[in-house]
């Protein structure tokens, strides 16, 4: 036994270092072959049972191993490894590390060939895969888990080497996944399948699609049968609810990977499309009387599917920025969107546990001495809101009836706003319904921009449908009112977004140069709309100002000091007024009084009616919304990951630093000076206007500037920063088209200013 352990430890050290074993490959099989009883498939308990290897194979007389200079501190001496459990764990560890080394491109060629030879002998002669399957039933959880890890790597090795998959493994899966059962065997089957697919994604080889195709061919039918069996269960009738919860979590992870493989590897197996063919099965889980964290997982999963972001957290690499149209994917997405809307229409939102215990990585129980967290679960609120918006956008893209789209939009947006109303404080009753988006998504900027993009897509699709069936002027007033009442007016949504970031052009620049959000696509589409709908945008800006004045609310908590604009000599108006050529818009629906809405004229300097809430303020206006690598499941970032990221130095980070420096230089240096001014802040004889030369202005004067001027000023600063970065070749892509859009906005804004 002592010699057996010493040889195994020496081999482990060699494999850790990536060294080439000197002895014949067959000599090592004796030491690597786990001792598993064929009768009861359990591990041996005596050292006599642990030392023999393959039946009928004799132990090598001598295995000369060269001394190793480097030894891991965690290794135990042979005297400490007296139990067969320790021996078996080390055997599994050596097999796992050896397989990993063999699959790595960094391993020496000769060592890799030796490892390959040893592993092939283990699979062919020792039938180690069958023994690992037997170990799934072991009561020792660590042994079972290690066996599953080893088996997953060995299965991937067979796929890579184009070796026929083990018949024992295929038979094991067919038996345990043909129908739902509460045994642990089904969980280990799912976990192993998931691990194999992950290995395929992690590999850098060019024939991933062929490998996955070879793998799914064996399990395609089994997977569909298990899908139908699992989701046909009645949760309340399950004897052990923890078992079905574990199976659901394992199955959901595998399902997500299979769907992701459609995006990455362009395959179309039944197992990859089963969700879209039978989406009601997954949606019904949300209505089960099951733990809140399970519902949260499934809602987030549906959100990822609709956004085509499924598998982002599980797969290495990112989804390609541009993917050619795929008719099958489009058909499947439409089926999923219709199923989601049908479920919402049937009362899906009423089944969501929004006020339950908050679930974190450590569980949902609050430890003694910790504060209880009150309030709704914003993760569920965001995900539910986004799946409805995205489902509407997908459905409208495939709908030709403008009247049908209007009816659907009004029904589902009313359902969504009713669902959100109790969870948003202060209530939306006295506020612009369009503000729901910025309030729900304030802590998750990537989801906020996805929701804004979906809302804009809905607006554009519906506008095109209405223009095709109605005249441009007919019902314009009612149409504008419809966009406000249902909370999807694109100008309101964009202005609330700017208010959240304090009208700070550097934040917009940060979004533009980042690939973590869809801001570039959203911003370009909005600027194109803004060119055509400038009058409506201008009127809405004035309505924001009027409402701000009426309710005595500050538009932005943290507004940069207003200094002279270097690019223009225009003076800032006290209150922007609408030219006579601007169109009439509808007033916001006053929910507080339940009075019918009245048409609202364009704002004038004498007075106007507020378009609901004016407030664009946010306590985080001077901060970025959230770190890009935040997750849906936790608001806390990994400290170790942040430290690791901060130590990385790259050309991209250097470029980003110069980008930020260049953006800051666009402002007057006096604006950031902390020294007191040496002259009066503003003229004493002027109480309605102020000079461009002032360094600091009072809050009431800032409010007088108006949303329109702050928006235009933000656009100009952004345009200037992009131009400077382009000249220095620091912008990460060609911004010519974007600059043309911003330049055109500058031209029409100057014309508007000149008419005031």
């Amino acid at each position: 036994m002592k010699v057996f352990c010493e040889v195994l430890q020496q081999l482990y050290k060699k494999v850790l270092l990536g060294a080439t074993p000197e002895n014949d490959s067959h000599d090592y099989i004796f030491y690597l072959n786990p001792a598993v009883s064929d009768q009861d498939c359990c591990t041996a308990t005596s050292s006599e049972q642990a030392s023999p290897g393959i039946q009928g194979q004799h132990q090598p007389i001598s295995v000369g191993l060269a001394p190793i200079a480097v030894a891991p501190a965690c290794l135990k001496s042979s005297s400490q490894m007296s139990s067969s459990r320790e021996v078996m764990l080390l055997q599994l560890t050596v097999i796992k590390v050896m397989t990993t080394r063999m699959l790595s491109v960094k391993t020496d060629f000769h060592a890799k060939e030796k490892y390959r030879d040893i592993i092939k002998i283990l699979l062919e002669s020792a039938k180690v895969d069958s023994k690992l399957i037997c170990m799934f039933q072991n009561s020792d959880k660590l042994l079972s888990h290690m066996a599953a890890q080893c088996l997953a790597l060995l299965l991937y090795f067979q796929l890579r080497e184009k070796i026929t998959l083990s018949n024992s493994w295929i038979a094991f899966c067919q038996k345990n996944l043909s129908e739902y059962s509460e045994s642990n065997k089904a969980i280990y089957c799912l976990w192993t399948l998931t691990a194999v697919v992950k290995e395929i994604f992690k590999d850098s080889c060019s024939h991933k699609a062929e490998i996955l195709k070879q793998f799914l061919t064996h399990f395609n039918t089994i997977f569909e049968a298990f899908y139908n069996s699992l989701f046909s269960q009645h949760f309340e009738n399950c004897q052990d609810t923890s078992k079905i919860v574990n199976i659901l979590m394992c199955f959901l992870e595998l399902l997500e990977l299979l769907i992701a493989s459609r995006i990455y590897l362009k395959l179309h197996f039944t197992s990859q499309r089963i969700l879209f063919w039978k989406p009601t099965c997954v949606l019904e889980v949300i209505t089960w009387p099951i733990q809140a964290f399970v519902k949260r997982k499934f809602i987030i999963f549906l959100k990822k599917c609709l956004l085509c972001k499924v598998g982002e957290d599980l797969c290495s690499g990112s989804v390609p920025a541009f993917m050619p149209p795929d008719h099958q994917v489009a058909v499947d997405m439409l089926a999923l969107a219709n199923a989601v809307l049908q479920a919402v229409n049937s009362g899906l939102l009423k089944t969501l546990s929004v006020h339950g215990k908050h679930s974190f990585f450590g569980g949902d129980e609050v430890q003694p001495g910790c504060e209880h967290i009150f309030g709704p679960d914003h993760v569920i609120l965001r995900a539910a809101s986004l799946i409805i918006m995205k489902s509407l956008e997908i459905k409208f893209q495939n709908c030709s009836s403008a009247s049908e789209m209007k009816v659907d939009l009004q029904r589902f947006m009313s359902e969504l706003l009713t669902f959100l109303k109790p969870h948003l404080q202060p209530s939306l009753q006295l506020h612009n319904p369009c503000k729901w988006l910025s309030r729900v998504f304030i802590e998750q900027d990537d989801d906020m921009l996805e929701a804004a993009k979906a809302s804009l897509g809905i607006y554009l699709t519906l506008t095109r449908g209405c223009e095709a069936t109605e005249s441009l002027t007919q019902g314009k007033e009612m149409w504008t009112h419809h966009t406000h009442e249902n909370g999807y007016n694109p100008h309101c949504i964009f202005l609330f977004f700017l208010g959240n970031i304090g009208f700070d052009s550097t934040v917009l620049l940060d979004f533009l140069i980042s690939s973590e959000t869809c801001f570039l696509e959203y911003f370009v589409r909005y600027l194109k709309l803004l060119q055509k709908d400038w009058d409506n945008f201008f009127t809405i800006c004035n309505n924001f100002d009027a409402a701000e004045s009426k309710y005595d609310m500050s538009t932005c908590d943290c507004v940069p000091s207003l200094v002279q604009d270097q690019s223009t000599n225009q003076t800032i108006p006290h209150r922007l007024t609408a030219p006579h050529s601007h169109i009439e818009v509808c007033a916001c629906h006053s929910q507080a009084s339940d009075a019918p809405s009245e048409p609202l004229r364009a704002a004038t300097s004498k007075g106007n009616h507020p378009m609901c809430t004016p407030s664009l303020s946010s306590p985080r206006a001077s901060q970025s919304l959230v770190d890009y690598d935040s997750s849906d499941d936790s608001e806390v970032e990994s400290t170790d990951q942040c430290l690791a990221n901060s130590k990385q130095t790259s050309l991209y980070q250097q470029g980003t630093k110069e980008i930020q420096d260049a953006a800051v230089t666009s402002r007057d240096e006096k604006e950031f000076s902390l020294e007191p001014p040496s002259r009066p802040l503003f003229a004493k004889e002027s109480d309605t206007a102020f000079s461009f030369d002032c360094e600091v202005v009072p809050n009431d004067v800032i409010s007088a500037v108006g949303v329109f001027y702050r928006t235009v000023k933000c656009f100009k600063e952004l345009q200037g920063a992009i131009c400077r970065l382009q000249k220095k070749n620091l912008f990460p892509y060609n911004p010519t088209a974007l600059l043309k859009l911003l330049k055109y906005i500058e031209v029409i804004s100057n014309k508007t200013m000149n008419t005031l």
Side-chain angles (χ1 to χ4, degrees):
M1 181 66 181
K2 181 179 179 181
V3 175
F4 186 93
C5 294
E6 288 178 352
V7 172
L8 202 55
Q9 287 187 21
Q10 290 294 319
L11 179 60
Y12 178 46
K13 295 174 185 178
K14 279 184 172 290
V15 175
L16 277 180
L17 297 174
T20 305
E22 297 88 351
N23 292 75
D24 183 74
S25 300
H26 289 83
D27 293 339
Y28 295 102
I29 303 302
F30 172 83
Y31 299 98
L32 292 176
N33 185 32
V36 179
S37 172
D38 293 333
Q39 295 179 354
D40 54 5
C41 288
C42 63
T43 56
T45 55
S46 65
S47 59
E48 290 79 17
Q49 288 177 304
S51 56
I54 308 169
Q55 188 175 2
Q57 179 181 350
H58 300 286
Q59 178 179 354
I61 298 175
S62 175
V63 178
L65 294 171
I68 304 296
V70 181
C74 61
L75 271 180
K76 299 181 180 180
S77 65
S78 58
S79 59
Q80 294 175 300
M81 295 182 54
S82 56
S83 69
S84 61
R85 177 180 182 273
E86 295 288 331
V87 173
M88 195 169 295
L89 284 173
L90 184 55
Q91 287 175 319
L92 296 178
T93 302
V94 174
I95 294 174
K96 176 184 173 182
V97 176
M98 183 179 292
T99 309
T100 303
R101 288 287 188 185
M102 201 287 304
L103 296 172
S104 174
V105 295
K106 298 180 180 179
T107 307
D108 177 71
F109 174 78
H110 297 289
K112 185 180 291 189
E113 289 297 314
K114 190 71 172 183
Y115 299 155
R116 178 184 287 109
D117 192 33
I118 294 174
I119 295 171
K120 282 185 177 181
I121 297 173
L122 274 173
L123 290 170
E124 295 171 1
S125 302
K127 303 294 181 182
V128 69
D129 48 352
S130 300
K131 296 184 178 182
L132 292 175
I133 293 172
C134 288
M135 293 175 66
F136 284 175
Q137 305 173 62
N138 197 294
S139 58
D140 191 316
K141 298 299 182 182
L142 182 57
L143 275 175
S144 299
H145 185 68
M146 285 294 296
Q149 285 185 321
C150 287
L151 182 60
L153 285 171
L154 291 175
L155 289 172
Y156 182 60
F157 169 81
Q158 291 175 318
L159 293 170
R160 274 285 302 269
E161 299 296 315
K162 297 182 179 180
I163 302 174
T164 303
L165 285 180
S166 167
N167 290 329
S168 58
W169 167 246
I170 296 175
F172 182 77
C173 288
Q174 289 176 341
K175 178 181 178 181
N176 293 284
L177 296 181
S178 58
E179 60 181 4
Y180 169 77
S181 66
E182 295 186 359
S183 68
N184 290 329
K185 296 179 182 178
I187 295 178
Y188 279 111
C189 278
L190 295 172
W191 191 94
T192 307
L193 290 171
T194 302
V196 173
V197 179
K198 283 183 179 181
E199 289 297 326
I200 295 175
F201 274 110
K202 287 193 301 183
D203 203 335
S204 58
C205 66
S206 58
H207 53 284
K208 290 182 181 180
E210 297 177 9
I211 296 175
L212 184 60
K213 183 178 180 180
Q214 177 188 353
F215 183 65
L216 293 181
T217 301
H218 297 281
F219 305 102
N220 202 40
T221 305
I222 305 174
F223 191 86
E224 183 180 3
F226 187 77
Y227 182 94
N228 296 329
S229 177
L230 174 62
F231 291 114
S232 64
Q233 300 300 310
H234 296 284
F235 180 78
E236 57 274 9
N237 296 335
C238 295
Q239 296 180 353
D240 189 352
T241 57
S242 63
K243 289 286 182 66
I244 191 172
V245 168
N246 289 337
I247 291 178
L248 281 172
M249 293 296 98
C250 291
F251 185 77
L252 191 65
E253 186 178 13
L254 177 57
L255 184 62
E256 183 174 352
L257 276 171
L258 292 175
I259 297 173
S261 64
R262 292 189 70 188
I263 302 174
Y264 287 85
L265 304 179
K266 306 298 181 185
L267 296 176
H268 300 284
F269 279 86
T270 301
S271 57
Q272 297 171 301
R273 304 182 64 186
I274 188 67
L275 167 70
F276 305 97
W277 290 351
K278 301 177 181 180
T280 53
C281 295
V282 173
L283 288 166
E284 285 176 358
V285 175
I286 302 175
T287 66
W288 287 2
I290 202 169
Q291 288 92 326
F293 81 93
V294 178
K295 296 187 178 185
R296 174 195 273 205
K297 281 281 189 181
F298 273 81
I299 293 173
I300 293 173
F301 168 69
L302 291 172
K303 181 194 76 173
K304 290 179 178 180
C305 290
L306 290 168
L307 296 178
C308 291
K309 291 185 175 180
V310 64
E312 271 191 338
D313 301 331
L314 304 174
C315 310
S316 59
S318 58
V319 180
F322 174 78
M323 293 180 293
D326 189 321
H327 176 69
Q328 286 187 346
V329 172
V331 171
D332 288 349
M333 285 296 178
L334 178 59
L336 179 59
N338 286 331
V340 168
L341 295 177
Q342 184 178 355
V344 172
N345 195 40
S346 301
L348 177 69
L349 296 179
K350 296 182 178 66
T351 66
L352 296 182
S353 304
V354 180
H355 280 300
K357 293 182 179 180
H358 289 229
S359 300
F360 301 101
F361 291 115
D364 58 5
E365 296 297 330
V366 179
Q367 298 299 319
C370 298
E371 296 183 1
H372 289 263
I373 301 178
F374 299 97
D377 188 340
H378 289 281
V379 173
I380 292 183
L381 292 181
R382 287 193 296 266
S385 302
L386 193 49
I387 63 173
I388 293 177
M389 295 298 295
K390 194 65 183 177
S391 297
L392 284 171
E393 182 189 21
I394 293 172
K395 181 177 181 179
F396 289 177
Q397 289 171 352
N398 297 271
C399 183
S400 57
S401 173
S403 58
E404 180 183 345
M405 286 189 284
K406 277 187 177 181
V407 172
D408 285 344
L409 181 65
Q410 189 165 4
R411 179 169 72 251
F412 290 110
M413 287 305 299
S414 175
E415 186 86 16
L416 176 59
L417 294 176
T418 302
F419 167 70
L420 295 173
K421 182 179 176 181
H423 310 301
L424 297 180
Q425 298 297 330
S427 174
L428 287 174
Q429 283 186 338
L430 299 178
H431 290 255
N432 186 338
C434 298
K435 194 177 183 180
W436 74 269
L437 193 146
S438 62
R439 290 179 62 186
V440 170
F441 294 97
I442 185 63
E443 296 180 357
Q444 197 77 29
D445 52 1
D446 52 347
D447 281 355
M448 175 188 288
L449 294 171
E450 288 287 358
K453 184 165 75 83
S455 177
L456 179 58
I458 292 171
Y459 177 87
L460 294 175
T461 303
L462 200 52
T463 301
R464 285 192 295 267
C466 292
E467 289 177 349
T469 57
E470 305 172 4
S471 64
L472 295 177
T473 57
Q474 180 184 2
K476 189 71 175 179
E477 200 170 287
M478 186 177 299
W479 164 251
T480 307
H481 171 72
H482 185 271
T483 63
H484 294 307
E485 185 180 31
N486 293 287
Y488 71 103
N489 185 279
H491 303 302
C492 291
I493 290 174
F494 184 76
L495 290 174
F496 281 125
F497 167 70
L498 284 184
N500 284 337
I501 63 173
F503 293 87
D504 190 346
S505 62
T506 59
V507 178
L508 297 184
L509 184 65
D510 187 29
F511 280 128
L512 284 174
I513 65 177
S514 171
S515 61
E516 300 295 330
T517 70
C518 64
F519 179 72
L520 174 61
E521 182 183 357
Y522 165 68
F523 191 50
V524 169
R525 295 182 71 183
Y526 178 73
L527 290 179
K528 290 181 178 179
L529 169 67
L530 193 56
Q531 292 179 353
K532 302 176 182 179
D533 203 27
W534 182 258
D535 285 347
N536 195 19
F537 167 75
F538 183 86
T539 307
I540 289 175
C541 286
N542 283 288
N543 289 331
F544 270 74
D545 294 335
E548 177 179 311
S549 176
K550 178 178 178 180
Y551 291 102
D552 193 24
M553 292 169 127
S554 175
T555 303
C556 189
D557 285 337
C558 211
V559 180
S561 301
L562 297 174
V563 296
Q564 185 169 1
D565 194 335
Q566 303 294 334
S567 61
T568 178
N569 293 324
Q570 293 174 337
T571 58
I572 306 176
H574 171 64
R575 174 70 67 183
L576 296 177
T577 57
H580 64 278
S581 61
H582 285 251
I583 61 173
E584 296 179 357
V585 297
C586 289
C588 169
H589 178 67
S590 176
Q591 300 181 11
S593 62
D594 293 329
S597 59
E598 298 293 338
L600 177 64
R601 300 283 176 179
T604 63
S605 59
K606 294 182 180 180
N608 44 30
H609 299 283
M611 191 192 65
C612 297
T613 183
S615 176
L616 298 174
S617 62
S618 168
R620 308 178 183 202
S622 60
Q623 306 173 4
S624 60
L625 300 180
V626 74
D627 289 340
Y628 291 128
D629 53 345
S630 63
S631 67
D632 285 306
D633 297 288
S634 175
E635 304 293 339
V636 182
E637 296 298 327
S638 171
T639 305
D640 294 338
Q641 182 65 34
C642 293
L643 291 175
N645 292 339
S646 65
K647 295 178 181 179
Q648 296 177 357
T649 57
S650 63
L651 292 176
Y652 174 79
Q653 289 176 319
Q654 295 174 6
T656 303
K657 178 63 168 61
E658 295 186 49
I659 284 173
Q660 294 172 346
D661 294 342
V664 171
T665 57
S666 65
R667 302 182 180 183
D668 194 297
E669 294 180 358
K670 297 179 181 179
E671 181 179 348
F672 302 96
S673 175
L674 298 178
E675 297 181 3
S678 58
R679 62 172 184 270
L681 300 181
F682 52 90
K684 295 180 180 179
E685 60 269 19
S686 175
D687 55 357
T688 59
F690 59 92
S691 170
F692 270 91
D693 295 328
C694 65
E695 293 180 355
V696 182
V697 291
N699 290 334
D700 56 345
V701 180
I702 292 178
S703 298
V705 171
V707 174
F708 177 80
Y709 174 78
R710 275 174 280 185
T711 304
V712 171
K713 184 175 182 290
C714 181
F715 284 160
K716 288 182 179 180
E717 291 176 351
L718 179 63
Q719 180 184 352
I722 294 175
C723 288
R724 286 189 297 275
L725 296 173
Q726 186 185 28
K727 291 177 182 178
K728 297 180 180 180
N729 293 323
L730 289 175
F731 211 73
Y733 51 86
N734 186 1
T736 304
L738 178 60
L739 288 173
K740 286 182 179 179
L741 290 171
L742 290 171
K743 183 63 179 177
Y744 186 81
I745 297 298
E746 181 184 7
V747 171
I748 59 179
S749 65
N750 288 337
K751 289 181 180 179
T752 302
M753 297 286 285
N754 290 333
T755 61
L756 299 176

